[in-house]
Amino acid sequence: MKKYQPSEIEPKWQERWRRERIFQPDIKKAKKPFYNLMMFPYPSAEGLHVGNMYAFTGADIYGRFKKMQGYDVFEPIGLDGFGIHSENYALKIGEHPIEVAERTEKNFYRQLQATGNAYAWENTLETYDHDYYKWTQWVFIQMFKAGLAYRAKAKVNFCPSCKTTLSDEQVIGGFCERCKSQVEKKELEQWFFRITKYADRLLKNLDWIDWSEKTKVAQRAWIGRSDGAEIKFQIPNSKFQIRVFTTRPDTLFGVTFMALAPEHPLVLSLTKKAFRQRVEKYIEAAAKKTEMQRISEERVKTGVFTGSYCLNPINNQKIPIWVADYAVMGYGTGAVMGVPAHDQRDFEFAKKYNLEIKVVVEPLTGSLSLNQAFEGKGKLVNSGKYSGLESVEGGREIVKDLKKKNLAESKTTYKLRDWCISRQRYWGPPIPMINCPKCGWLPVPEKDLPVKLPYLLDWKPLGTGISPLAQDKDWVKVTCPKCGGQAQRETDVSDTFLDSAWYFFRYPTVGQPSAQKVAFDLEITKKWLPVSMYIGGHEHAVLHLMYSRFLTMVFKDLRLIDFEEPYKRFYAHGLIISEGAKMSKSRGNVVIPDLYISKYGADTLRCYLMFLGPFNQGGDFRDTGIAGMWRFLNRVWKLTYLLKDDREDPDLSRRKHQTIKKVTEDLENLRYNTAISAIMEFVNFLSKKKTISRQTLETLALLLAPFSPHLSEEIWSEILGNRFSVFQNPWPKYDPSLTKEEELTVVVQVNAKVRGQIKMAFSEAEKREEVEKKAKSDTKVAAYLAGRQIRKIIFLPGKLINFVI
Ligand SMILES: [Zn+2]
Ligand SMILES: [Zn+2]
């Protein structure tokens, strides 16, 4: 009898699956296409860690299940190897990014193959391959032509350690998403993508797309739509006015000060001479703070008076104008109307500087506290003719009246800002733009794509706001495509998130004749997209997932496609930790799958990862746990020793159909851990038998196939000698009539005399505690037992219970 040896069987099947193209769908002719996508891995070190494998295994299980349900599953993989992640790693180890990519690419693909996933190996792509980035550049040009890419001078995020600009989405709580350094603000001229134009569509579609709810919540918050009004405050005897955006026009009578952001363009013109020195000093100090520090709720609010006043448009009251750094330019208009009674930040500011606090909204129930602002809605008071109205109606009336005098307009604002797309780095697709002194900015003619990244010996970021590519003077020089004069190439590269915002459009086209001519073949795209199932990390909610939705909408508007949401379904998986702690290099607890695969095999690791907990919640990786899964698969293996072609008994058949039902439903809902435990129970049951039928072993191999593909293939094709492959066999069906629990009658005796009969579900009738409980609660039996001491209980599972009293 052969032992279970994954190191022998796993490479064997991986090789055969690939050779016989089992997981390579017919891209053009597939009848039931199912695009099963997992998130693009970015190689930021030498190889994959177990977190990647966790995500990919969960996605792969779903894909295999769909394949066995008869779909033409397309499960592509590639490497998001361009960009700051890989470049930072190259910097760290002091090797050229091109060489790092060449070396690690092989290792990544070797690892990906070793996990046993059902990849379409003929459709791989790497973002640093010029066959790919040619089309990333093409995407940029389409954006430019559509007026969606523009160049502007703006205060942008700058990471001093990565020495480049970052998008808002790449700044997490004030820190660089990549290297965790504190991000600064720098005034630079950059390329932007006009994502704000799509803010409303990005928001509205969230109502119907089938995504994990927490990811939708994160996107809604990031887009940050607020409906309100822009109100104009005149400066007396001056041409100036201050525009303020507010979502609470109902509190207008409660304004007691105006707070301008230190960067507000009117600040210096409004500051009176006597106050100038203090104001200038304040502005200087504010410039050193990050926006995050400034808007932090804990911080004590500060400000200085400008000496000027403006007029409240609703009652012409004079209002002092202050400069306060909790007002920021990015959101709204850079001016805050201070309503201390009804806004906590304004309240704190007013308390500190002894400004008036005027209550204009009272709660509908309960009373007002004077220790903090009342931010809720209620009934207007001290608000002239509007007093007595409810907040929403009062606000509407106030805006309506001010509109007539041209002092207000309804407005909607978003927190979302345009996507800063240029990076002063080396390792990315050069932005395909040309700057001509005569003609201005022009796109590189599409026939001249790709603009290849030149090989630079000195490729390290400079930190001057200029890309290292600028050092290659020959490369920078270019002929203007319009006037033929001498012009210069853009030397910034594009953000790595642009590479990954459209990669799934390219996958199905890879390897097709049209791949040379187009970014994505329209007919093929129509067949395979939108993606049927996308599984990945929630942490990309406002990065990759937002950007790819945006580009998809643009492609639709350019009439390249006829859908505008890229993923039919998005499922956010959980994260795994290791021995109770978050995995990190500094802790030294990053788990590399290779060691476990060589010790136990990929199947054991796959099953173990999926057994750690619900897939959307993650789990804790422990060495002791994986050994348990290894023993389980060995137990499955040993069942093959019992193989004997005989009839199944009805009790086994019921178990079998119940297990099929449970595993099918769990797989459909990605409840992998409970599916595995149902299979475990079934295996435990079978292990007690003396023989096992061919049919039963087949079912077991099929049920396990998505989880432990190699082991299942070995049992199916080798041990049972069925036709290769197990994955070309339909998913097992269950007979609903057999999944119902049969009821058994258990005889109840007291001192060996029959005193009653109880009916119980099949599985319960085998459990002594359950039967005992039910028997004791039977009124007839209870009468015999009342007041007596039970000395002994004799129990025959499913048949009889005898109380000896
Ligand atoms: Zn950084
Ligand atoms: Zn020109």
Side-chain angles (χ1 to χ4, degrees), residues 41-302:
Y42 51 80
S44 56
E46 296 295 330
L48 293 177
H49 59 81
V50 83
N52 302 115
M53 185 165 164
Y54 178 72
F56 295 165
T57 304
D60 181 66
I61 288 170
Y62 197 74
R64 288 178 186 270
F65 173 56
K66 287 284 143 189
K67 181 167 171 65
M68 294 171 79
Q69 284 187 322
Y71 289 91
D72 296 290
V73 175
F74 177 50
E75 189 173 300
I77 193 74
L79 299 177
D80 187 12
F82 238 164
I84 213 164
H85 327 95
S86 311
E87 193 181 338
N88 281 0
Y89 178 68
L91 277 169
K92 199 177 124 196
I93 60 168
E95 211 179 321
H96 199 284
I98 291 180
E99 279 137 34
V100 178
E102 270 171 12
R103 181 163 51 74
T104 57
E105 180 178 311
K106 291 188 196 81
N107 188 44
F108 273 105
Y109 282 140
R110 181 194 59 73
Q111 281 187 306
L112 285 164
Q113 158 121 342
T115 62
N117 287 354
Y119 292 130
W121 284 109
E122 293 164 27
N123 293 67
T124 55
L125 63 83
E126 301 80 38
T127 48
Y128 48 71
D129 179 355
H130 58 76
D131 269 349
Y132 180 80
Y133 73 70
K134 168 182 178 175
W135 301 109
T136 305
Q137 292 172 333
W138 175 86
V139 169
F140 189 99
I141 292 171
Q142 307 319 304
M143 298 295 283
F144 180 78
K145 287 181 174 166
L148 294 168
Y150 67 94
R151 212 173 146 80
K153 195 164 198 170
K155 265 213 164 153
V156 291
N157 307 302
F158 191 87
C159 173
S161 158
C162 294
K163 298 179 179 165
T164 181
T165 52
L166 300 172
S167 69
D168 282 0
E169 288 79 10
Q170 286 152 19
V171 181
I172 317 281
F175 297 91
C176 171
E177 173 253 345
R178 260 302 89 201
C179 72
K180 315 284 180 249
S181 309
Q182 189 148 44
V183 170
E184 297 166 355
K185 286 276 179 188
K186 260 197 182 179
E187 178 115 346
L188 288 169
E189 201 176 301
Q190 297 288 306
W191 288 101
F192 291 89
F193 276 179
R194 221 180 282 280
I195 190 171
T196 51
K197 198 182 160 195
Y198 286 76
D200 221 31
R201 249 158 108 185
L202 288 165
L203 186 68
K204 272 191 191 134
N205 286 6
L206 290 174
D207 293 342
W208 61 264
I209 55 177
D210 182 9
W211 280 33
S212 291
E213 195 53 35
K214 65 173 176 177
T215 310
K216 288 190 185 188
V217 168
Q219 289 211 346
R220 276 194 195 103
W222 186 259
I223 296 167
R225 178 184 162 125
S226 37
D227 294 305
E230 193 171 281
I231 296 173
K232 296 170 191 169
F233 289 72
Q234 301 290 340
I235 315 286
N237 310 319
S238 132
K239 60 181 176 177
F240 296 127
Q241 51 178 216
I242 297 170
R243 289 159 176 266
V244 177
F245 174 79
T246 177
T247 56
R248 292 297 301 274
D250 57 314
T251 64
L252 196 54
F253 280 87
V255 176
T256 60
F257 66 94
M258 176 66 66
L260 298 183
E263 303 83 8
H264 195 286
L266 287 181
V267 167
L268 289 177
S269 358
L270 291 178
T271 301
K272 295 275 189 259
K273 220 172 177 183
F275 300 85
R276 202 164 178 99
Q277 217 182 347
R278 284 185 63 201
V279 167
E280 278 173 354
K281 236 172 107 183
Y282 185 79
I283 293 174
E284 210 177 293
K288 291 191 184 124
K289 292 179 193 136
T290 63
E291 191 167 303
M292 207 56 205
Q293 287 172 329
R294 281 170 51 180
I295 61 175
S296 137
E297 275 171 28
E298 292 81 47
R299 214 182 120 240
V300 177
K301 312 284 174 288
T302 64

Side-chain angles (χ1 to χ4, degrees), residues 435-463:
N435 192 13
C436 171
K438 269 194 246 156
C439 316
W441 284 100
L442 297 166
V444 170
E446 287 176 24
K447 64 171 174 52
D448 295 343
L449 296 179
V451 178
K452 280 197 190 162
L453 182 68
Y455 184 89
L456 284 193
L457 267 181
D458 206 359
W459 52 274
K460 295 183 177 65
L462 305 169

Side-chain angles (χ1 to χ4, degrees), residues 259-474:
L260 298 183
E263 303 83 8
H264 195 286
L266 287 181
V267 167
L268 289 177
S269 358
L270 291 178
T271 301
K272 295 275 189 259
K273 220 172 177 183
F275 300 85
R276 202 164 178 99
Q277 217 182 347
R278 284 185 63 201
V279 167
E280 278 173 354
K281 236 172 107 183
Y282 185 79
I283 293 174
E284 210 177 293
K288 291 191 184 124
K289 292 179 193 136
T290 63
E291 191 167 303
M292 207 56 205
Q293 287 172 329
R294 281 170 51 180
I295 61 175
S296 137
E297 275 171 28
E298 292 81 47
R299 214 182 120 240
V300 177
K301 312 284 174 288
T302 64
V304 283
F305 182 42
T306 62
S308 286
Y309 293 83
C310 58
L311 297 177
N312 188 336
I314 199 72
N315 57 8
N316 273 323
Q317 223 165 53
K318 264 173 84 183
I319 292 167
I321 303 172
W322 288 63
V323 184
D325 65 7
Y326 76 91
V328 288
M329 281 313 287
Y331 307 124
T333 57
V336 170
M337 61 179 219
V339 188
H342 304 292
D343 181 284
Q344 188 58 27
R345 296 180 316 164
D346 300 346
F347 180 86
E348 288 164 25
F349 190 84
K351 275 275 178 203
K352 180 162 177 195
Y353 296 106
N354 248 326
L355 300 166
E356 194 191 346
I357 298 175
K358 201 175 143 196
V359 172
V360 291
V361 180
E362 271 180 356
L364 295 175
T365 56
S367 58
L368 217 52
S369 148
L370 295 173
N371 299 323
Q372 57 182 21
F374 167 62
E375 295 189 336
K377 292 187 174 153
K379 194 179 78 186
L380 268 57
V381 293
N382 303 321
S383 297
K385 67 168 181 173
Y386 308 98
S387 296
L389 294 178
E390 179 271 328
S391 281
V392 175
E393 196 194 348
R396 205 185 308 133
E397 288 301 311
I398 287 173
V399 173
K400 203 167 104 191
D401 291 344
L402 288 179
K403 266 182 182 167
K404 286 178 199 149
K405 297 185 219 160
N406 195 25
L407 288 170
E409 52 189 297
S410 303
K411 214 169 173 181
T412 301
T413 63
Y414 298 90
K415 255 169 76 187
L416 183 72
R417 288 192 280 181
D418 280 342
W419 177 7
C420 173
I421 200 87
S422 38
R423 298 288 176 274
Q424 296 73 48
R425 297 285 296 231
Y426 171 68
W427 193 233
I431 290 178
M433 297 296 295
I434 291 170
N435 192 13
C436 171
K438 269 194 246 156
C439 316
W441 284 100
L442 297 166
V444 170
E446 287 176 24
K447 64 171 174 52
D448 295 343
L449 296 179
V451 178
K452 280 197 190 162
L453 182 68
Y455 184 89
L456 284 193
L457 267 181
D458 206 359
W459 52 274
K460 295 183 177 65
L462 305 169
T464 54
I466 296 170
S467 157
L469 285 177
Q471 299 170 116
D472 189 340
K473 299 277 185 270
D474 291 339

